[in-house]
Each structure stands twice: as structure tokens, then as C-alpha cells.
Amino acid sequence: MTVLDSRTVADAAEAAAVDPRDPLVRLGHLLDEGSIRPITPEDKSGVLAVTGRIEGVPVVAFCSDARVQGGAMGAEGCEHIVHAYDVAVRERVPVIGVWHSGGARLAEGAESLHAVGRVFAAMTKASGIVPQISVVVGPVAGGGAYGPALTDIVILADNGRIFVTGPDVVRSVTGEQTDMASLGGPEPHSKRSGVVHVVAKSEGEALLRARQLACLLGHQGRMREVDEVDFGSLLPDNPRRAYDVHPLVNGLLDEPGVELHPKWAPNIVTTLGRLGGRTVGVIANNPMRLGGCLDSTSAEKAARFVRMCDAFGVPLVVLVDVPGYLPGVGQEHDGIVRRGAKLLHAFAEASVPRVTLITRKAFGGAYIAMNSRALGATRVFAWPTAEVAVMGAVAAVRVLKRRELAAAPEEERSALEARLAEEHEKTAGGLQRALDLGVIDEVIEPAKARGAIARVLAQATPARGAHGNIPL
């Protein structure tokens, strides 16, 4: 055996001896090489907290030690997390938690419960002050579940699980048959509950996503001039045909950003990325899902995104193609009024610069909710073929002129309907009326939209909302 062979064998043995659950190993994958500085001792508390950098951006991070009582949270470990938050708030830097915890330590009883509550209080006090990112790399239960839920962004690795009570307790109390994956894995939390913002295929990918998001929120950059992109070819010629809005969002940004909640309420898209080097948040109706209608879930999803961006001073770009609110008994019973009001409140409260672009249509109350001038939009653009109205002109005349249409011979009804719709658009609204009222500032060509949006954001006065980011 050569010296090289023996060194290879030794390296392999050393790598095999390293426990991947070791907090220093996990934090080493998260943070820049050589940047880790512990701020709490490496002990049996179940938590290690450090300072470090991500692409040069200073951050504070902590990691559960799953080797010690499954990462259960005791008084000492909780104090480590509270200390990490104190440092992050003092230094005004993002704080990232890597979670693998069974919740409060049973043996410590009320002491551990009180300690976990102190962690929740620290997170709440830091809300809206510093970005909080959680990476769930193993099972988290009880208090370990609510920790990530209080933060701004939750990333779930393939082996991550989030639940208040585990499968055994569920079976004993309710009789329901379930397992950890179906109870708290990627599928239920990415599609149904909305707890998880980003799902990763591996722990390594989850930590990479955390790095991307920490850079976007921790170092937002400055706007520079951008190249134009002709968006006209991205929309179908037929205005009634559905399309996927993702190419439009990606074309607006310098490169594809990080979409949050891609599978939960997919009729609206929420993405963090960069435009001209500056971090922006993009909200877009997606006609491929529910025709782009707003419903109770998508309104809540968008509202939380608006509030997060506003809390951290991230400008917003809102791409509007919305036919209205989704009708139905289910929607009314699911709280469309209450949850839809969250989006109205979020936009009306927001302080950050925010530009709206109406690409195809903006109808009814959904027009108002999607960052209209009435709610304080910095600037509102529209493409030449866009429509703005209480409802589509054809649908409107079918209501307003139903008797006249019914009285017309059947062979003439279609032409009459088209003429009445054209007249209605001229008298009741449309782009020109919206321009006259000042609710649309400018009609722009698709090929000039990217530059126009970037210029508005570059010239706007930076601002930041003075509020927390409650998990709506």
C-alpha cells in the first residue's frame, strides 16, 4: 500500500467516524468555510450557536444537537437559542436555525416548558427586525415545531418532519392510522398546511436554499440599469387562454429567484429574487391555476409575503392578471372575506416601494386587492391590451343588457353583444378611463416593462414597515 493509499483510507475512516448530526458539521455546510465562531459552549445542552458568514454576509446560526436526547430542548439549550437571538438583534443580521428536535425535555418538566416559551418570546420580539430562517433537517415535535413556525421562512429537507404530536399519540387519542411522513412530511406541509415555504430534496439542498435566502434578505444590493426583455411572446395571443406565469416572473428577474410556497395556493406566485442586482419580492397571479382567481388561501399567502417584504424593506413588483375572486359556497365558508381582507390590509399598510403591472386583466374587487393605486401603489403600469373593469365587458352587458339581448333575433345576438360590450368599455371603464382617473399611470409596451419597473424602484425612496411578521 502506498502513502497515498494509506492517506485515502485514513481520510475515509475519519469521514465515516463523523456523525452527520453533529451541529458543527451541519453549520459547516451552511456557513462559509473558516467563518464559524461559537458563541455558546459545545456541551450537552442540545444546542450550539455560532456567528459566521454566507457569501460574506454576516449571520448568526444555531443548530439542534440530535445526538443528545434527540435534540430535545432543555433550559440550557433554550438559553443558547435566546442568546443567539440577542446577538442577531444587536448586530442586525439574519438568524438561521437548523432544527432536529423532539421538543421540550420530559425530565425537566415545567422548567423546560418555561425555557421553550422564552425562545418563542425571543423570536416574536425579533420578528420584523431581523430575518429569521428555519431549516428543518429531521423530526421536530411540540415546541420544536412551533419554533420554526414563528420564523419568516421555513425550509424542509426530505427527512424533515414537523408535527405537534407524533403518530403514536395520534393513534392512541384519535384512532387515526398515520406515519411521520404523511403526518408532517413535505407533502402535507408544502401542499395543504402552508407551514413550509421551501421543500428540498436533501439536507444539503435545504442548507443551500437557506444560504440563498440569507443573502437575498441580508444583503439586498443596489439597483442598476437592466437589459430589456420582450415579454410579449410569453402570453398567448388568445386573451382567454390560460398560461403559466413563471416564465414572466423569471424573465423579470436577473435570474430565477426562490419561490416560496410553490405548491400551496399555486394560483398566486410569490418569489424572492434580484432585479438589477437589487432584492425584490414578486407577486403574480397565475392563470394556469384557477384561472388566476384570488381565493381565501392565495390571499392569505400573498398577504404574509407582502408583510415579510415590507418588514425588511424589500420592494415589491406585482404582476396582475386576475378575473376576480373565486366564487362558491366553499370559499365563503372558508373565510374569503376575512382572509381576503388580510391582503387588502397588507398592501394598504405597506411602506416599501411597490410597482404594479397589469398584463392582461384586472377585474372587480381583485383589481383593488392586487396593489391598486387606491391601496398606495408607487406606480401602476398596464400593457396596451390590458382590461380594467368591474367585470369583463361581455359579462357586464349580459347582465346590464340581458333584456335587449334576449329581444334580438338569435342570428344578430352575437354581433349586438360585441357592439354593446365595446360601448360599455368606452363608457364604464377600460384603460383610457383608468388613465384619465389616474389609477393607471402609464400604458407601456411589453418590451419596455422591465426597464420601466427598475427605474421606478431605483428612484423611489427606500422605506421599511414598522411591524412584525406574524404567521398569518
Side-chain angles (χ1 to χ4, degrees):
M1 179 181 292
T2 66
V3 173
L4 180 60
D5 289 336
S6 63
R7 184 177 301 169
T8 302
V9 171
D11 290 345
E14 183 179 352
V18 173
D19 191 330
R21 299 172 300 165
D22 185 333
L24 277 177
V25 172
R26 283 173 160 163
L27 293 172
H29 292 306
L30 173 68
L31 304 173
D32 292 347
E33 185 176 357
S35 71
I36 294 177
R37 300 291 182 270
I39 56 176
T40 61
E42 297 180 54
D43 52 22
K44 295 297 182 180
S45 66
V47 175
L48 176 66
V50 304
T51 60
R53 293 182 177 273
I54 294 177
E55 299 295 334
V57 177
V59 300
V60 171
F62 63 88
C63 181
S64 306
D65 190 345
R67 303 170 303 172
V68 182
Q69 298 185 38
M73 302 168 70
E76 193 175 4
C78 289
E79 285 305 311
H80 290 351
I81 298 176
V82 171
H83 179 59
Y85 268 86
D86 288 343
V87 174
V89 171
R90 184 175 68 243
E91 301 295 331
R92 290 296 194 269
V93 299
V95 57
I96 305 170
V98 182
W99 294 85
H100 185 162
S101 171
R105 289 188 177 181
L106 294 175
E108 294 186 22
E111 183 182 11
S112 65
L113 292 175
H114 175 71
V116 171
R118 281 178 42 78
V119 171
F120 297 164
M123 291 175 161
T124 303
K125 290 176 182 177
S127 182
I129 297 175
V130 296
Q132 302 178 49
I133 300 170
S134 292
V135 187
V136 179
V137 294
V140 294
Y146 280 111
L150 281 168
T151 61
D152 300 304
I153 297 174
V154 181
I155 303 167
L156 187 67
D158 59 335
N159 290 325
R161 304 289 185 264
I162 303 173
F163 39 71
V164 176
T165 54
D168 292 340
V169 176
V170 170
R171 279 193 293 270
S172 65
V173 175
T174 71
E176 295 173 287
Q177 298 298 315
T178 186
D179 56 31
M180 289 175 59
S182 58
L183 185 63
E187 195 280 334
H189 284 319
S190 66
K191 292 183 179 179
R192 303 181 192 179
S193 71
V195 170
V196 171
H197 297 74
V198 177
V199 169
K201 296 178 180 178
S202 66
E203 182 173 317
E205 183 185 333
L207 295 171
L208 176 62
R209 291 295 187 186
R211 287 177 59 88
Q212 290 178 299
L213 288 161
C215 288
L216 286 169
L217 294 174
H219 179 65
Q220 296 185 22
R222 293 172 178 253
M223 187 72 70
R224 60 174 184 266
E225 288 190 14
V226 301
D227 295 329
E228 293 289 4
V229 174
D230 189 354
F231 295 111
S233 61
L234 299 180
L235 267 64
D237 294 333
N238 184 346
R240 297 182 180 179
R241 184 181 171 190
Y243 64 94
D244 185 0
V245 80
H246 286 93
L248 186 57
V249 174
N250 292 337
L252 174 71
L253 299 171
D254 299 340
E255 58 185 29
V258 180
E259 184 179 355
L260 306 184
H261 291 129
K263 295 183 179 179
W264 184 57
N267 44 317
I268 203 160
V269 173
T270 51
T271 299
L272 281 173
R274 294 192 187 272
L275 172 60
R278 183 26 167 133
T279 300
V280 297
V282 181
I283 301 174
N285 306 113
N286 189 5
M288 188 62 72
R289 302 299 186 108
L290 300 180
C293 284
L294 280 178
D295 64 350
S296 58
T297 309
S298 62
E300 188 172 275
K301 167 183 169 177
R304 176 126 196 250
F305 185 77
V306 171
R307 284 179 58 81
M308 182 187 73
C309 290
D310 188 53
F312 301 123
V314 176
L316 289 162
V317 181
V318 184
L319 305 179
V320 181
D321 186 352
V322 62
Y325 285 98
L326 186 67
V329 173
Q331 282 297 305
E332 300 296 342
H333 291 182
D334 199 32
I336 184 85
V337 175
R338 174 180 58 84
R339 298 166 82 182
K342 295 179 183 182
L343 184 55
L344 294 169
H345 190 286
F347 272 129
E349 181 190 39
S351 302
V352 291
R354 43 203 165 97
V355 179
T356 295
L357 172 63
I358 303 172
T359 59
R360 199 161 68 167
K361 59 185 174 298
F363 293 161
Y367 151 78
I368 302 172
M370 292 298 294
N371 195 44
S372 62
R373 168 53 43 74
L375 298 185
T378 305
R379 197 158 181 84
V380 180
F381 295 116
W383 285 350
T385 54
E387 299 178 73
V388 179
V390 174
M391 63 176 66
V394 172
V397 300
R398 286 175 181 173
V399 174
L400 297 173
K401 304 290 185 179
R402 60 183 181 277
R403 291 183 179 176
E404 187 175 343
L405 289 169
E410 186 174 350
E411 64 274 11
E412 300 176 11
R413 196 169 298 156
S414 178
L416 176 61
E417 182 178 83
R419 180 173 60 80
L420 291 173
E422 185 177 352
E423 291 174 358
H424 174 80
E425 187 170 344
K426 290 179 180 178
T427 59
L431 283 187
Q432 189 55 53
R433 180 61 172 156
L435 284 166
D436 294 341
L437 290 170
V439 296
I440 288 178
D441 295 292
E442 186 180 352
V443 175
I444 58 174
E445 295 293 333
K448 298 182 179 180
R450 189 168 189 259
I453 292 169
R455 283 190 293 274
V456 171
L457 295 181
Q459 295 166 8
T461 303
R464 179 172 175 169
H467 56 78
N469 184 30
I470 186 173
L472 292 177

